[in-house]
Amino acid sequence: MANHRTIPLTVQALTTQRSCSPAPPHFKHSQLTAAHRSHHSRHKKKLGLWLITVACAACAAVISANRYLQAMHVAENPIKPHMDAQALDSRQHVANERLLRMVIEECSKQENTMMWVDKDGSLVVQQVIDSRQCPPIDIMLLSTERGIGMCTDAALYVIYAGARIIPALDKATPAVSQETYDSYCGPATARMLFETMYSKFISKQPGVLHIMLLNHEHLWVQDANMHRQIDVYLCKTNICQQ
């Protein structure tokens, strides 16, 4: 009986000891490490969202401040008309815009024609170079060069500077030699080139003003000798000016 009673007590004691024994150290460490990682990940996400929010708020503040400063600058420094400025004549402005469109459309037909605006403000188009007409500026444009861009540039000079658009001298009807063209007006008419140099358009007479309107990429090395004969370059870019 003693042995029978001792065995259950011993088994029960062993069972109780096993059920109450602490978890192995490596199991506790793995649990703590997983919890720490989860907490660290949540903390990083919150910190990232906070930084993004702060950055957006800072950008919005900078934009608002910049707009405020610009508005204050405009309010404190209003644009004032020049002392010599004249009031805009709306009718004349509309007429000029309509005439500008007509010149561009006629020029863009890519024909070897001459065109200018007469004293009555009407567009004149003809084939023959009139030796009696000496405009302030002659602009030479080949028919193949008469695109929208080139014609727009030329049309502005036609309307506002009294210029005349002419073809290459040998393409006129009838063809005109350089000597004949030189004898027409001489220094009374300046000669304007755009992107292409024409040696026959460079006058041999002294005192003739030569002007060139160009983009810097059209300054070719082979035209260096003719470049020296140009009196005024009208540049479209800062690179050309430099």
Side-chain angles (χ1 to χ4, degrees):
M1 292 294 292
N3 292 335
H4 179 74
R5 292 176 181 175
T6 302
I7 291 173
L9 291 174
T10 304
V11 172
Q12 184 179 3
L14 290 174
T15 305
T16 304
Q17 183 180 5
R18 287 178 182 179
S19 62
C20 296
S21 62
H26 66 84
F27 180 76
K28 285 187 176 182
H29 179 71
S30 62
Q31 285 185 328
L32 292 174
T33 302
H36 178 72
R37 288 177 179 175
S38 177
H39 176 74
H40 183 67
S41 177
R42 289 196 300 269
H43 179 72
K44 286 181 64 177
K45 290 180 179 179
K46 290 181 179 179
L47 180 61
L49 292 174
W50 183 81
L51 291 175
I52 292 174
T53 303
V54 171
C56 292
C59 291
V62 170
I63 294 173
S64 298
N66 187 36
R67 290 177 178 174
Y68 173 78
L69 292 175
Q70 289 179 349
M72 291 298 296
H73 177 75
V74 172
E76 295 175 358
N77 302 278
I79 299 175
K80 299 179 180 179
H82 193 271
M83 57 182 301
D84 297 329
Q86 298 179 357
L88 177 64
D89 186 341
S90 58
R91 292 185 178 180
Q92 185 62 43
H93 177 70
V94 171
N96 288 342
E97 288 297 312
R98 185 180 295 111
L99 184 59
L100 177 65
R101 179 177 176 180
M102 291 174 60
V103 175
I104 295 173
E105 289 179 350
E106 185 63 37
C107 174
S108 300
K109 292 179 180 178
Q110 297 188 334
E111 299 174 352
N112 288 311
T113 55
M114 276 140 286
M115 62 191 71
W116 70 93
V117 175
D118 62 15
K119 61 181 181 180
D120 296 325
S122 300
L123 176 62
V124 179
V125 181
Q126 67 179 34
Q127 299 289 334
V128 181
I129 297 180
D130 190 349
S131 61
R132 299 167 298 177
Q133 183 192 17
C134 295
I137 305 173
D138 265 347
I139 302 173
M140 178 176 285
L141 283 181
L142 290 177
S143 60
T144 54
E145 295 177 328
R146 298 187 181 189
I148 295 295
M150 296 279 279
C151 287
T152 300
D153 288 340
L156 292 171
Y157 288 93
V158 170
I159 295 175
Y160 296 106
R164 176 181 64 175
I165 299 175
I166 66 173
L169 300 179
D170 57 348
K171 299 296 182 180
T173 306
V176 178
S177 66
Q178 182 179 16
E179 292 74 16
T180 302
Y181 178 72
D182 271 347
S183 67
Y184 287 167
C185 300
T189 298
R191 305 187 182 190
M192 189 171 189
L193 298 165
F194 277 18
E195 295 180 353
T196 306
M197 300 292 296
Y198 301 103
S199 59
K200 294 182 179 180
F201 196 53
I202 304 296
S203 178
K204 296 181 179 180
Q205 291 190 21
V208 176
L209 180 66
H210 296 89
I211 307 170
M212 190 166 190
L213 175 71
L214 78 166
N215 296 322
H216 68 278
E217 63 267 20
H218 293 100
L219 288 173
W220 304 107
V221 176
Q222 58 267 29
D223 296 331
N225 292 330
M226 285 187 286
H227 291 158
R228 298 186 183 96
Q229 301 180 61
I230 301 299
D231 301 294
V232 179
Y233 281 97
L234 301 178
C235 301
K236 297 182 180 180
T237 62
N238 289 330
I239 297 176
C240 179
Q241 292 176 357
Q242 295 172 0

PDB file of all heavy atoms in Angstrom, residues 109-132:
ATOM      1  N   LYS A 109       2.049  82.011-100.018  1.00  0.00           N
ATOM      2  CA  LYS A 109       1.727  81.320-101.275  1.00  0.00           C
ATOM      3  C   LYS A 109       2.984  80.832-101.984  1.00  0.00           C
ATOM      4  O   LYS A 109       2.901  80.091-102.974  1.00  0.00           O
ATOM      5  CB  LYS A 109       0.940  82.253-102.195  1.00  0.00           C
ATOM      6  CG  LYS A 109      -0.453  82.590-101.684  1.00  0.00           C
ATOM      7  CD  LYS A 109      -1.177  83.549-102.632  1.00  0.00           C
ATOM      8  CE  LYS A 109      -2.570  83.886-102.125  1.00  0.00           C
ATOM      9  NZ  LYS A 109      -3.271  84.853-103.027  1.00  0.00           N
ATOM     10  N   GLN A 110       4.155  81.294-101.520  1.00  0.00           N
ATOM     11  CA  GLN A 110       5.449  80.852-102.036  1.00  0.00           C
ATOM     12  C   GLN A 110       5.601  81.150-103.527  1.00  0.00           C
ATOM     13  O   GLN A 110       5.981  80.291-104.325  1.00  0.00           O
ATOM     14  CB  GLN A 110       5.666  79.361-101.747  1.00  0.00           C
ATOM     15  CG  GLN A 110       5.723  79.041-100.260  1.00  0.00           C
ATOM     16  CD  GLN A 110       6.135  77.614 -99.982  1.00  0.00           C
ATOM     17  OE1 GLN A 110       5.948  76.723-100.796  1.00  0.00           O
ATOM     18  NE2 GLN A 110       6.718  77.385 -98.813  1.00  0.00           N
ATOM     19  N   GLU A 111       5.307  82.379-103.875  1.00  0.00           N
ATOM     20  CA  GLU A 111       5.490  82.844-105.241  1.00  0.00           C
ATOM     21  C   GLU A 111       6.579  83.914-105.283  1.00  0.00           C
ATOM     22  O   GLU A 111       6.847  84.575-104.282  1.00  0.00           O
ATOM     23  CB  GLU A 111       4.168  83.408-105.791  1.00  0.00           C
ATOM     24  CG  GLU A 111       3.042  82.381-105.836  1.00  0.00           C
ATOM     25  CD  GLU A 111       1.719  83.002-106.255  1.00  0.00           C
ATOM     26  OE1 GLU A 111       1.668  84.254-106.351  1.00  0.00           O
ATOM     27  OE2 GLU A 111       0.755  82.256-106.482  1.00  0.00           O
ATOM     28  N   ASN A 112       7.199  84.081-106.450  1.00  0.00           N
ATOM     29  CA  ASN A 112       8.250  85.090-106.611  1.00  0.00           C
ATOM     30  C   ASN A 112       7.612  86.457-106.895  1.00  0.00           C
ATOM     31  O   ASN A 112       7.703  86.998-107.995  1.00  0.00           O
ATOM     32  CB  ASN A 112       9.207  84.693-107.744  1.00  0.00           C
ATOM     33  CG  ASN A 112      10.089  83.521-107.354  1.00  0.00           C
ATOM     34  OD1 ASN A 112      10.686  83.518-106.286  1.00  0.00           O
ATOM     35  ND2 ASN A 112      10.158  82.518-108.212  1.00  0.00           N
ATOM     36  N   THR A 113       6.972  86.984-105.875  1.00  0.00           N
ATOM     37  CA  THR A 113       6.282  88.262-106.020  1.00  0.00           C
ATOM     38  C   THR A 113       6.890  89.303-105.102  1.00  0.00           C
ATOM     39  O   THR A 113       7.651  88.983-104.181  1.00  0.00           O
ATOM     40  CB  THR A 113       4.788  88.111-105.677  1.00  0.00           C
ATOM     41  OG1 THR A 113       4.669  87.541-104.361  1.00  0.00           O
ATOM     42  CG2 THR A 113       4.095  87.219-106.677  1.00  0.00           C
ATOM     43  N   MET A 114       6.561  90.551-105.395  1.00  0.00           N
ATOM     44  CA  MET A 114       6.917  91.670-104.522  1.00  0.00           C
ATOM     45  C   MET A 114       5.660  92.145-103.836  1.00  0.00           C
ATOM     46  O   MET A 114       4.583  92.145-104.449  1.00  0.00           O
ATOM     47  CB  MET A 114       7.545  92.812-105.325  1.00  0.00           C
ATOM     48  CG  MET A 114       9.020  92.584-105.547  1.00  0.00           C
ATOM     49  SD  MET A 114       9.513  93.057-107.211  1.00  0.00           S
ATOM     50  CE  MET A 114       8.825  91.728-108.169  1.00  0.00           C
ATOM     51  N   MET A 115       5.765  92.563-102.588  1.00  0.00           N
ATOM     52  CA  MET A 115       4.591  93.051-101.866  1.00  0.00           C
ATOM     53  C   MET A 115       5.010  94.112-100.858  1.00  0.00           C
ATOM     54  O   MET A 115       6.085  94.050-100.275  1.00  0.00           O
ATOM     55  CB  MET A 115       3.848  91.893-101.190  1.00  0.00           C
ATOM     56  CG  MET A 115       4.642  91.135-100.154  1.00  0.00           C
ATOM     57  SD  MET A 115       3.799  89.601 -99.661  1.00  0.00           S
ATOM     58  CE  MET A 115       4.002  88.627-101.150  1.00  0.00           C
ATOM     59  N   TRP A 116       4.130  95.079-100.731  1.00  0.00           N
ATOM     60  CA  TRP A 116       4.331  96.156 -99.764  1.00  0.00           C
ATOM     61  C   TRP A 116       2.978  96.781 -99.471  1.00  0.00           C
ATOM     62  O   TRP A 116       1.961  96.441-100.092  1.00  0.00           O
ATOM     63  CB  TRP A 116       5.328  97.198-100.293  1.00  0.00           C
ATOM     64  CG  TRP A 116       4.809  98.014-101.437  1.00  0.00           C
ATOM     65  CD1 TRP A 116       4.178  99.220-101.385  1.00  0.00           C
ATOM     66  CD2 TRP A 116       4.890  97.673-102.820  1.00  0.00           C
ATOM     67  NE1 TRP A 116       3.851  99.658-102.643  1.00  0.00           N
ATOM     68  CE2 TRP A 116       4.272  98.721-103.539  1.00  0.00           C
ATOM     69  CE3 TRP A 116       5.402  96.586-103.526  1.00  0.00           C
ATOM     70  CZ2 TRP A 116       4.157  98.713-104.927  1.00  0.00           C
ATOM     71  CZ3 TRP A 116       5.287  96.574-104.898  1.00  0.00           C
ATOM     72  CH2 TRP A 116       4.685  97.622-105.586  1.00  0.00           C
ATOM     73  N   VAL A 117       2.943  97.701 -98.542  1.00  0.00           N
ATOM     74  CA  VAL A 117       1.715  98.405 -98.178  1.00  0.00           C
ATOM     75  C   VAL A 117       1.844  99.847 -98.648  1.00  0.00           C
ATOM     76  O   VAL A 117       2.827 100.531 -98.334  1.00  0.00           O
ATOM     77  CB  VAL A 117       1.483  98.359 -96.649  1.00  0.00           C
ATOM     78  CG1 VAL A 117       0.264  99.193 -96.257  1.00  0.00           C
ATOM     79  CG2 VAL A 117       1.304  96.908 -96.197  1.00  0.00           C
ATOM     80  N   ASP A 118       0.870 100.302 -99.433  1.00  0.00           N
ATOM     81  CA  ASP A 118       0.946 101.666 -99.971  1.00  0.00           C
ATOM     82  C   ASP A 118       0.514 102.699 -98.924  1.00  0.00           C
ATOM     83  O   ASP A 118       0.172 102.343 -97.777  1.00  0.00           O
ATOM     84  CB  ASP A 118       0.111 101.792-101.243  1.00  0.00           C
ATOM     85  CG  ASP A 118      -1.365 101.539-101.005  1.00  0.00           C
ATOM     86  OD1 ASP A 118      -1.806 101.548 -99.839  1.00  0.00           O
ATOM     87  OD2 ASP A 118      -2.100 101.311-101.995  1.00  0.00           O
ATOM     88  N   LYS A 119       0.516 103.954 -99.309  1.00  0.00           N
ATOM     89  CA  LYS A 119       0.215 105.038 -98.377  1.00  0.00           C
ATOM     90  C   LYS A 119      -1.228 105.003 -97.882  1.00  0.00           C
ATOM     91  O   LYS A 119      -1.543 105.599 -96.845  1.00  0.00           O
ATOM     92  CB  LYS A 119       0.506 106.380 -99.035  1.00  0.00           C
ATOM     93  CG  LYS A 119      -0.325 106.646-100.285  1.00  0.00           C
ATOM     94  CD  LYS A 119       0.021 107.988-100.899  1.00  0.00           C
ATOM     95  CE  LYS A 119      -0.824 108.257-102.144  1.00  0.00           C
ATOM     96  NZ  LYS A 119      -0.498 109.577-102.756  1.00  0.00           N
ATOM     97  N   ASP A 120      -2.093 104.304 -98.616  1.00  0.00           N
ATOM     98  CA  ASP A 120      -3.494 104.187 -98.198  1.00  0.00           C
ATOM     99  C   ASP A 120      -3.738 102.999 -97.286  1.00  0.00           C
ATOM    100  O   ASP A 120      -4.878 102.739 -96.878  1.00  0.00           O
ATOM    101  CB  ASP A 120      -4.399 104.068 -99.434  1.00  0.00           C
ATOM    102  CG  ASP A 120      -4.349 105.318-100.309  1.00  0.00           C
ATOM    103  OD1 ASP A 120      -4.222 106.416 -99.738  1.00  0.00           O
ATOM    104  OD2 ASP A 120      -4.418 105.184-101.550  1.00  0.00           O
ATOM    105  N   GLY A 121      -2.659 102.265 -96.971  1.00  0.00           N
ATOM    106  CA  GLY A 121      -2.804 101.104 -96.088  1.00  0.00           C
ATOM    107  C   GLY A 121      -3.293  99.866 -96.779  1.00  0.00           C
ATOM    108  O   GLY A 121      -3.808  98.950 -96.122  1.00  0.00           O
ATOM    109  N   SER A 122      -3.135  99.797 -98.094  1.00  0.00           N
ATOM    110  CA  SER A 122      -3.575  98.629 -98.859  1.00  0.00           C
ATOM    111  C   SER A 122      -2.379  97.793 -99.274  1.00  0.00           C
ATOM    112  O   SER A 122      -1.300  98.336 -99.573  1.00  0.00           O
ATOM    113  CB  SER A 122      -4.359  99.062-100.100  1.00  0.00           C
ATOM    114  OG  SER A 122      -5.502  99.817 -99.735  1.00  0.00           O
ATOM    115  N   LEU A 123      -2.563  96.490 -99.311  1.00  0.00           N
ATOM    116  CA  LEU A 123      -1.498  95.584 -99.734  1.00  0.00           C
ATOM    117  C   LEU A 123      -1.385  95.592-101.249  1.00  0.00           C
ATOM    118  O   LEU A 123      -2.369  95.434-101.962  1.00  0.00           O
ATOM    119  CB  LEU A 123      -1.794  94.165 -99.237  1.00  0.00           C
ATOM    120  CG  LEU A 123      -0.816  93.075 -99.671  1.00  0.00           C
ATOM    121  CD1 LEU A 123       0.583  93.357 -99.138  1.00  0.00           C
ATOM    122  CD2 LEU A 123      -1.306  91.707 -99.214  1.00  0.00           C
ATOM    123  N   VAL A 124      -0.148  95.766-101.731  1.00  0.00           N
ATOM    124  CA  VAL A 124       0.136  95.775-103.168  1.00  0.00           C
ATOM    125  C   VAL A 124       1.014  94.572-103.489  1.00  0.00           C
ATOM    126  O   VAL A 124       2.026  94.344-102.839  1.00  0.00           O
ATOM    127  CB  VAL A 124       0.843  97.076-103.597  1.00  0.00           C
ATOM    128  CG1 VAL A 124       1.135  97.046-105.093  1.00  0.00           C
ATOM    129  CG2 VAL A 124       0.003  98.287-103.225  1.00  0.00           C
ATOM    130  N   VAL A 125       0.613  93.807-104.508  1.00  0.00           N
ATOM    131  CA  VAL A 125       1.380  92.642-104.940  1.00  0.00           C
ATOM    132  C   VAL A 125       1.621  92.755-106.432  1.00  0.00           C
ATOM    133  O   VAL A 125       0.694  93.001-107.212  1.00  0.00           O
ATOM    134  CB  VAL A 125       0.609  91.330-104.637  1.00  0.00           C
ATOM    135  CG1 VAL A 125       1.431  90.120-105.083  1.00  0.00           C
ATOM    136  CG2 VAL A 125       0.266  91.234-103.167  1.00  0.00           C
ATOM    137  N   GLN A 126       2.866  92.577-106.861  1.00  0.00           N
ATOM    138  CA  GLN A 126       3.180  92.646-108.287  1.00  0.00           C
ATOM    139  C   GLN A 126       4.402  91.799-108.590  1.00  0.00           C
ATOM    140  O   GLN A 126       5.091  91.308-107.680  1.00  0.00           O
ATOM    141  CB  GLN A 126       3.418  94.098-108.721  1.00  0.00           C
ATOM    142  CG  GLN A 126       4.645  94.750-108.133  1.00  0.00           C
ATOM    143  CD  GLN A 126       4.817  96.185-108.622  1.00  0.00           C
ATOM    144  OE1 GLN A 126       3.851  96.905-108.850  1.00  0.00           O
ATOM    145  NE2 GLN A 126       6.065  96.614-108.772  1.00  0.00           N
ATOM    146  N   GLN A 127       4.689  91.629-109.865  1.00  0.00           N
ATOM    147  CA  GLN A 127       5.778  90.778-110.318  1.00  0.00           C
ATOM    148  C   GLN A 127       7.054  91.561-110.609  1.00  0.00           C
ATOM    149  O   GLN A 127       8.157  91.058-110.445  1.00  0.00           O
ATOM    150  CB  GLN A 127       5.355  90.029-111.587  1.00  0.00           C
ATOM    151  CG  GLN A 127       4.154  89.124-111.411  1.00  0.00           C
ATOM    152  CD  GLN A 127       4.470  87.893-110.587  1.00  0.00           C
ATOM    153  OE1 GLN A 127       5.609  87.445-110.542  1.00  0.00           O
ATOM    154  NE2 GLN A 127       3.448  87.350-109.940  1.00  0.00           N
ATOM    155  N   VAL A 128       6.911  92.802-111.057  1.00  0.00           N
ATOM    156  CA  VAL A 128       8.058  93.585-111.526  1.00  0.00           C
ATOM    157  C   VAL A 128       8.583  94.476-110.412  1.00  0.00           C
ATOM    158  O   VAL A 128       7.812  95.113-109.679  1.00  0.00           O
ATOM    159  CB  VAL A 128       7.653  94.451-112.739  1.00  0.00           C
ATOM    160  CG1 VAL A 128       8.851  95.252-113.245  1.00  0.00           C
ATOM    161  CG2 VAL A 128       7.087  93.573-113.844  1.00  0.00           C
ATOM    162  N   ILE A 129       9.915  94.530-110.289  1.00  0.00           N
ATOM    163  CA  ILE A 129      10.531  95.450-109.340  1.00  0.00           C
ATOM    164  C   ILE A 129      10.479  96.851-109.932  1.00  0.00           C
ATOM    165  O   ILE A 129      11.051  97.119-110.995  1.00  0.00           O
ATOM    166  CB  ILE A 129      11.986  95.045-109.042  1.00  0.00           C
ATOM    167  CG1 ILE A 129      12.035  93.663-108.373  1.00  0.00           C
ATOM    168  CG2 ILE A 129      12.655  96.074-108.141  1.00  0.00           C
ATOM    169  CD1 ILE A 129      13.431  93.188-108.054  1.00  0.00           C
ATOM    170  N   ASP A 130       9.795  97.729-109.244  1.00  0.00           N
ATOM    171  CA  ASP A 130       9.619  99.089-109.728  1.00  0.00           C
ATOM    172  C   ASP A 130      10.853  99.916-109.362  1.00  0.00           C
ATOM    173  O   ASP A 130      11.152 100.135-108.195  1.00  0.00           O
ATOM    174  CB  ASP A 130       8.365  99.709-109.102  1.00  0.00           C
ATOM    175  CG  ASP A 130       7.993 101.041-109.741  1.00  0.00           C
ATOM    176  OD1 ASP A 130       8.809 101.578-110.513  1.00  0.00           O
ATOM    177  OD2 ASP A 130       6.891 101.538-109.446  1.00  0.00           O
ATOM    178  N   SER A 131      11.564 100.383-110.380  1.00  0.00           N
ATOM    179  CA  SER A 131      12.789 101.150-110.142  1.00  0.00           C
ATOM    180  C   SER A 131      12.503 102.513-109.529  1.00  0.00           C
ATOM    181  O   SER A 131      13.390 103.140-108.950  1.00  0.00           O
ATOM    182  CB  SER A 131      13.553 101.328-111.457  1.00  0.00           C
ATOM    183  OG  SER A 131      12.760 102.039-112.404  1.00  0.00           O
ATOM    184  N   ARG A 132      11.258 102.980-109.638  1.00  0.00           N
ATOM    185  CA  ARG A 132      10.915 104.300-109.091  1.00  0.00           C
ATOM    186  C   ARG A 132      10.530 104.227-107.613  1.00  0.00           C
ATOM    187  O   ARG A 132      10.453 105.246-106.947  1.00  0.00           O
ATOM    188  CB  ARG A 132       9.757 104.903-109.885  1.00  0.00           C
ATOM    189  CG  ARG A 132      10.065 105.131-111.364  1.00  0.00           C
ATOM    190  CD  ARG A 132       8.800 105.421-112.132  1.00  0.00           C
ATOM    191  NE  ARG A 132       7.875 104.285-112.067  1.00  0.00           N
ATOM    192  CZ  ARG A 132       6.659 104.291-112.611  1.00  0.00           C
ATOM    193  NH1 ARG A 132       6.220 105.376-113.243  1.00  0.00           N
ATOM    194  NH2 ARG A 132       5.896 103.228-112.539  1.00  0.00           N
TER     195      ARG A 132
END
